[in-house]
Amino acid sequence: MSDRHPATDDTWVPDSCRLPTAEQPVRLAEFDRFFADVVRRLDRPSAQLLRLHLVGTAEAERRARDLTARESACCSFFTFDVTRSGPDALTLDVRVPASQVGVLDALAERARPAGVPGSWLRSGQLASAAGVNPQTLRYYERRGLLAAPRRSPGGHRLYPVEAVTRLRIIKTAQRLGFTLGEVADLLHAGQRQRRPSNGGLPAQATAKLAEVEQRLADLTAVRDSLRAAISAGCDDLVECAGSSCCPLPFEQA
């Protein structure tokens, strides 16, 4: 059993659990061992979704599938999805209905590897960590880039700590020239874990590169024209417009 949680800590066990009371501590201990042995890190893409990143061994996958199948039998509102995307890439998605978000919160805290900070940040803390202002958070929420926060009992807006990474992704994509609409498409495609019809990041990055190269070519032409105008001593646009030897790119009527 992991020593991070006492055996009697059952805060994530829902009231609707059909597992006999005497067996619940055994199941909790089994989950704790699983978390301690195979969980590398976790993400919280939304209030109703917890994503656990596991070691990619065949044994970890076997344990994940076995344990979640048995848990589904006694807590049917859980939806578990074990996905392998490579020899050392394994994820376990845990979804719950809106009414059971509190259960997922407690499960996330129990699964969190030692040394990883807590799940939730206030808006000021998130904005500071991501290098944006609090108004940006609300704007991104309206644009569908950031999930709406939950509220603390005191009314504070609370965001999952994983939102810091999401905000950094958004800012990085913007620096690369992607519009917020394009960023939203890329983020949503990643959440669906399948290649979208527009080709996803590889296709959009290729298109963006072509766009940037065209802008560079246009700017190079502008630079060359300005240099030529300076060298030619152009000092009056009206006079230049009527001169056949002026290097400025006047369109012919």
Side-chain angles (χ1 to χ4, degrees):
M1 182 188 304
S2 166
D3 59 4
R4 291 177 296 159
H5 308 282
T8 56
D9 179 5
D10 60 356
T11 54
W12 70 269
V13 178
D15 295 336
S16 59
C17 179
R18 296 195 296 272
L19 192 69
T21 302
E23 296 181 24
Q24 288 184 13
V26 176
R27 180 67 57 81
L28 284 168
E30 191 173 6
F31 264 102
D32 281 345
R33 287 194 298 272
F34 175 77
F35 295 151
D37 291 346
V38 305
V39 175
R40 289 173 167 171
R41 62 184 178 87
L42 56 81
D43 296 324
R44 192 70 178 271
S46 70
Q48 294 173 239
L49 171 61
L50 172 66
R51 178 164 295 146
L52 304 178
H53 297 266
L54 316 178
V55 298
T57 64
E59 174 61 16
E61 182 173 3
R62 183 199 65 76
R63 288 176 65 183
R65 294 187 185 282
D66 173 68
L67 187 57
T68 56
R70 287 186 285 122
E71 187 63 22
S72 295
C74 62
C75 293
S76 58
F77 66 79
F78 279 123
T79 300
F80 298 103
D81 184 17
V82 181
T83 303
R84 176 174 291 281
S85 55
D88 194 38
L90 190 66
T91 59
L92 169 59
D93 283 358
V94 187
R95 290 181 174 83
V96 298
S99 60
Q100 299 292 349
V101 167
V103 172
L104 196 62
D105 291 346
L107 178 60
E109 288 303 318
R110 198 172 189 95
R112 187 172 301 280
V116 175
S119 297
W120 303 99
L121 298 173
R122 292 187 182 181
S123 56
Q125 294 173 316
L126 174 60
S128 177
V132 301
N133 61 59
Q135 290 73 28
T136 299
L137 302 183
R138 300 202 182 199
Y139 179 65
Y140 285 171
E141 290 167 27
R142 293 195 298 271
R143 293 295 302 266
L145 293 161
L146 191 64
R150 51 181 305 205
R151 295 277 183 173
S152 71
H156 296 290
R157 298 162 66 85
L158 298 177
Y159 297 84
V161 70
E162 294 79 17
V164 176
T165 298
R166 191 176 184 88
L167 288 170
R168 288 173 177 165
I169 290 171
I170 293 169
K171 300 305 291 184
T172 297
Q174 284 186 292
R175 286 195 293 271
L176 291 174
F178 289 100
T179 66
L180 287 180
E182 291 169 337
V183 175
D185 288 342
L186 291 170
L187 289 172
H188 294 158
Q191 288 177 341
R192 293 192 294 268
Q193 292 189 318
R194 60 181 177 82
R195 185 177 293 276
S197 58
N198 62 12
L201 180 58
Q204 291 204 42
T206 299
K208 187 60 61 177
L209 177 59
E211 180 184 318
V212 170
E213 289 178 337
Q214 182 59 56
R215 290 206 305 268
L216 286 173
D218 293 341
L219 287 172
T220 298
V222 171
R223 181 199 64 189
D224 292 344
S225 293
L226 290 172
R227 284 178 173 174
I230 293 170
S231 297
C234 296
D235 58 5
D236 188 301
L237 285 177
V238 174
E239 182 178 342
C240 288
S243 172
S244 61
C245 61
C246 179
L248 293 178
F250 292 103
E251 293 185 1
Q252 298 298 318

